[in-house]
C-alpha cells in the first residue's frame, strides 16, 4: 500500500506542476476571473494531493503508540496555526500566537527580503494570494510593506516573541546576498542551532549563504524529489531531511538514521496518520492543521495512559 500511495502522490503533484503553468481560476474575491501565479496554483494542487493522500491513510487503523513516544512527539505548525478561509492568515503573529497558546512544539515559517534588506515572514514572492493588495516583497521597503500590509511580521519580531518558547523552523526562499547572510547570522547569534532552530530549503544550494551555521542545522525539504534531497542531506552531512510522509518510506528512515540524521514528515491531518508517524519514530511532524493535530495527540496520550493503567 505504501508504494502505491507514493506513486499516486507523485502523479498528482507532477500534473499539478504541469497544470500550474496555465489555466484561469476564480480570483480570491470571486468577483472576476484571472490567471493565478504558478506558485499559487502549485500550492492548491499540493494541498489537494495531501488531502487525498491523508484521507486514504486516515482510513487505516494504527496501533496506539507507546506513551513515552507520544509524550516526546514534536508537532510543528506549518506557517503557524492558520486558517486562511477563517481569516487567521498563515505566517502571521496571530497564527503563531495560537501555537504558543496550544502547546505546539514548533513553528515553521518563510523568510523573504524587502528592497531595503529587511527579512519579513511571507511564503510567496508577492502578496496576492493572501491579501487584496498584490505587492512584490523585494520591490518594496519594509516600511512600505508595514503600511500596506501590517499583518506581515518582520523576522526580528518573530524572534523576539517566540525564540526560546517554541522551536523555529526557518525556511529560506531566496538566494542570500553576503550582506543578508551576515544580517541573518547577527539576528540568530543568541540562539543555538539545532536546539533552538533549524533552517529549511527546497533547494539545498540556498544553504550556501548561511555557512556560519553548522550543517547539522540544515534540513532540505523534499516535494516529489525525495531521492535528490535525501542524497543532498547525506552527501553534505546535513541534520536530516523532511518531506511528505507518503514519500519518505522505511528505506529513507533507515539510511538517514544509519548516518545519525533525523527525518521529519508532513502533512498530517488525521489521528491514524499521526499514530503511524509516531510509531515510526519520526523526529518532527509538520502539519497545516496544527490545532487539530494537537487535539489528536492529546487524545492518543489519554488513551495510551488508560491502556497503561489497565
Amino acid at each position: 500500500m505504501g508504494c502505491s500511495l507514493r506513486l499516486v502522490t507523485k502523479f498528482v503533484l507532477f500534473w499539478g506542476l504541469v497544470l500550474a503553468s496555465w489555466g484561469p481560476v476564480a480570483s480570491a474575491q470571486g468577483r472576476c476571473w484571472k490567471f493565478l501565479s504558478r506558485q499559487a496554483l502549485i500550492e492548491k494542487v499540493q494541498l489537494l494531493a495531501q488531502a487525498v493522500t491523508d484521507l486514504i491513510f486516515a482510513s487505516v487503523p494504527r496501533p496506539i503508540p507507546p506513551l513515552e513516544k507520544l509524550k516526546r512527539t514534536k508537532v510543528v505548525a506549518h506557517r503557524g496555526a492558520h486558517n486562511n478561509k477563517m481569516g487567521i492568515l498563515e505566517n502571521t503573529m496571530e497564527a503563531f500566537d495560537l501555537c504558543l497558546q496550544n502547546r505546539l512544539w514548533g513553528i515553521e515559517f518563510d523568510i523573504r527580503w524587502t528592497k531595503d534588506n529587511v527579512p519579513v515572514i511571507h511564503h510567496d514572492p508577492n502578496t496576492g494570494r493572501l491579501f487584496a493588495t498584490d505587492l512584490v516583497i523585494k520591490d518594496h521597503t519594509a516600511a512600505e510593506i508595514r503600511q500596506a500590509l501590517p499583518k506581515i511580521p518582520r523576522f526580528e519580531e518573530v524572534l523576539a516573541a517566540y525564540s526560546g518558547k517554541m522551536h523555529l523552523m526557518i525556511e529560506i526562499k531566496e538566494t542570500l546576498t553576503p550582506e543578508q547572510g551576515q544580517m541573518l547570522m547577527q539576528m540568530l547569534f543568541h540562539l543555538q542551532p539545532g536546539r533552538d532552530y533549524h533552517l529549511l530549503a527546497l533547494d539545498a544550494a540556498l544553504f550556501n549563504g548561511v555557512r556560519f551555521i553548522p550543517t547539522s542545522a540544515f534540513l532540505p525539504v523534499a516535494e516529489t524529489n525525495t531521492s535528490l534531497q535525501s542524497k543532498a542531506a547525506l552527501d553534505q552531512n546535513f541534520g536530516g531531511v523532511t518531506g511528505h510522509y507518503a514519500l519518505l518510506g522505511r528505506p529513507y528512515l533507515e539510511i538517514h538514521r544509519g548516518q545519525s540524521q533525523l527525518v521529519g514528515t508532513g502533512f498530517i491531518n488525521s489521528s491514524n496518520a499521526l499514530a503511524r508517524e509516531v510509531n515510526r519514530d519520526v523526529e518532527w511532524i509538520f502539519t497545516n492543521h496544527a490545532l487539530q493535530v494537537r487535539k489528536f495527540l492529546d487524545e492518543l496520550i489519554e488513551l495510551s495512559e488508560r491502556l497503561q493503567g489497565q
Side-chain angles (χ1 to χ4, degrees), residues 73-77 80-82 88 93-107 162 165-166 287 289-298 301:
T73 298
K74 298 172 181 175
V75 177
V76 180
H82 64 277
I88 304 173
M93 300 297 277
E94 183 180 11
F96 299 146
D97 283 342
L98 283 172
C99 297
L100 191 60
Q101 295 164 13
N102 288 274
R103 302 172 289 114
L104 272 294
W105 181 81
I107 52 175
Y162 309 112
K165 300 175 183 177
M166 293 185 290
T287 178
H289 305 274
L291 302 187
Q292 184 64 60
V293 171
R294 177 71 249 185
K295 181 180 177 182
F296 290 149
L297 180 59
D298 289 340
I301 289 174

Side-chain angles (χ1 to χ4, degrees), residues 12-42:
V12 173
L13 291 176
F14 170 77
W15 281 107
L17 293 172
V18 174
L19 292 171
S21 62
W22 63 276
V25 294
S27 69
Q29 290 76 31
R31 292 191 297 266
C32 62
W33 289 80
K34 67 178 183 180
F35 286 89
L36 279 185
S37 70
R38 184 171 183 269
Q39 178 61 44
L41 189 50
I42 289 173

